[in-house]
Amino acid sequence: MSRATPRPRHRLLTVLLSAGLIGAMSSCSAIGEFLASPDEPPTADTLRVLAYNIHHAEGMDSVIDLQRIADLIMEVDPDIVTLQEVDSMVTRTDRVNQAAVLGRLTGMTPVFGRFMPYQGGAYGMAILSRWRIRDIDNYRLPDGAEPRTALTVVITSPTTGQPIRVSGIHFYRTETERAAQAESLMGYLAATAQPGMPSILAGDFNSEPRTRVINELRSGWTIVDKGRGNLTFSSFDPVREIDFMMYRPADRFEVLGQWLIDEPVISDHRPVVTDFIIRREVR
């Protein structure tokens, strides 16, 4: 994979032009916001989010290779990445701090969220961000077969200055355990959120559509619809949709586009990508 070309400041216009959507969407308020006078500050952001369960960087060919994960991330060129199944100083992965290495290889700021000690190090999840990270919390979820947390950051837009909250998800293992983890996380987010702050959940929910966990989350969150070709696991023989992105409040977001990456070797999950338009709150 080749490295992505650096993006211009107002990526929304570039994305729409490349997709041939300017004519079809010229009445959209979001375009007007981004095509306003250069002297006027923009009133919306575009945010590209990548969610990827990297299987501790061990591919389906049994090769552990962080460089190819970094190459995929650079090709997608996201603003923020939520990674699941990440090792830190673990024997099976050569005692490498995987989040730190991926941060260095991609030029993004890494944050590691520990689930549990494992093989002399720690096992958990990570977030990589191009935007400034303002707050970090690794919230402990109810225990199941393995301990779980939700890694949550507040990032700040370099364009509008608005804060956006992003939580990396990796629920596990039974439906009862996942339901308890989801309920606990929703309580935590409700209790600690700044009113009206745009929020995103992204990752491996280990739950399929129309199951208890997803149905309960749907009551408070808008789930990004993947349309056809929506299966995320396994990467080499997709049969289940268990990786999702969700957001709220709905009136602050518009989904500009979403897609899955057909990558059957690097991990056992397919990466999920969404481009959001997120409007600033009008006071």
Side-chain angles (χ1 to χ4, degrees):
M1 290 185 184
S2 61
R3 293 170 67 92
T5 302
R7 298 167 302 190
R9 179 179 177 85
H10 289 160
R11 185 176 65 194
L12 174 59
L13 178 57
T14 302
V15 171
L16 293 176
L17 284 169
S18 64
L21 295 178
I22 283 289
M25 298 180 62
S26 59
S27 63
C28 175
S29 62
I31 296 176
E33 291 163 344
F34 273 80
L35 300 182
S37 166
D39 296 330
E40 298 176 9
T43 58
D45 291 292
T46 53
L47 181 74
R48 177 168 291 177
V49 184
L50 166 65
Y52 197 12
N53 183 323
I54 65 170
H55 194 243
H56 59 268
E58 182 178 357
M60 298 302 93
D61 54 1
S62 299
V63 174
I64 296 170
D65 190 344
L66 287 167
Q67 183 64 61
R68 62 187 179 183
I69 294 172
D71 289 344
L72 183 146
I73 292 171
M74 293 296 290
E75 185 73 15
V76 172
D77 197 21
D79 298 297
I80 191 161
V81 184
T82 67
L83 300 172
Q84 301 81 54
E85 297 196 25
V86 179
D87 281 356
S88 178
M89 310 303 292
V90 171
T91 300
R92 69 177 174 185
T93 47
D94 301 322
R95 300 193 62 79
V96 167
N97 182 333
Q98 293 189 329
V101 171
L102 288 172
R104 175 175 56 80
L105 292 174
T106 61
M108 303 177 79
T109 301
V111 178
F112 178 71
R114 169 180 165 140
F115 290 162
M116 62 183 186
Y118 188 70
Q119 290 187 1
Y123 172 68
M125 63 198 316
I127 287 177
L128 307 176
S129 180
R130 294 197 190 282
W131 292 10
R132 183 174 69 86
I133 297 175
R134 193 180 76 181
D135 298 307
I136 302 169
D137 193 8
N138 191 37
Y139 177 69
R140 180 69 178 264
L141 300 174
D143 284 341
E146 293 179 356
R148 281 294 185 268
T149 66
L151 181 59
T152 298
V153 300
V154 176
I155 56 176
T156 303
S157 163
T159 304
T160 66
Q162 73 170 321
I164 299 165
R165 199 179 203 193
V166 180
S167 295
I169 305 298
H170 190 193
F171 295 152
Y172 193 77
R173 172 180 182 186
T174 68
E175 186 170 62
T176 299
E177 292 170 356
R178 294 192 296 270
Q181 291 164 0
E183 181 180 3
S184 177
L185 177 59
M186 294 309 100
Y188 158 75
L189 292 176
T192 58
Q194 177 181 319
M197 181 183 291
S199 299
I200 296 170
L201 309 180
D204 179 0
F205 290 72
N206 266 312
S207 303
E208 296 185 77
R210 295 175 294 281
T211 58
R212 174 183 171 188
V213 172
I214 300 302
N215 286 340
E216 290 180 357
L217 289 169
R218 194 184 300 274
S219 65
W221 296 77
T222 301
I223 301 174
V224 176
D225 183 6
K226 301 184 187 69
R228 300 181 64 180
N230 60 341
L231 304 178
T232 64
F233 181 84
S234 65
S235 61
F236 51 89
D237 182 23
V239 293
R240 301 170 63 199
E241 181 186 10
I242 59 175
D243 302 85
F244 296 92
M245 292 192 197
M246 308 180 185
Y247 59 90
R248 71 179 185 194
D251 62 357
R252 300 282 297 280
F253 284 83
E254 181 177 337
V255 175
L256 186 59
Q258 73 78 34
W259 66 98
L260 301 180
I261 298 174
D262 184 12
E263 171 39 70
V265 177
I266 294 176
S267 175
D268 59 347
H269 285 243
R270 300 172 77 189
V272 181
V273 187
T274 304
D275 280 337
F276 293 101
I277 300 171
I278 309 176
R279 296 176 179 84
R280 285 195 305 174
E281 186 175 18
V282 178
R283 298 184 181 276

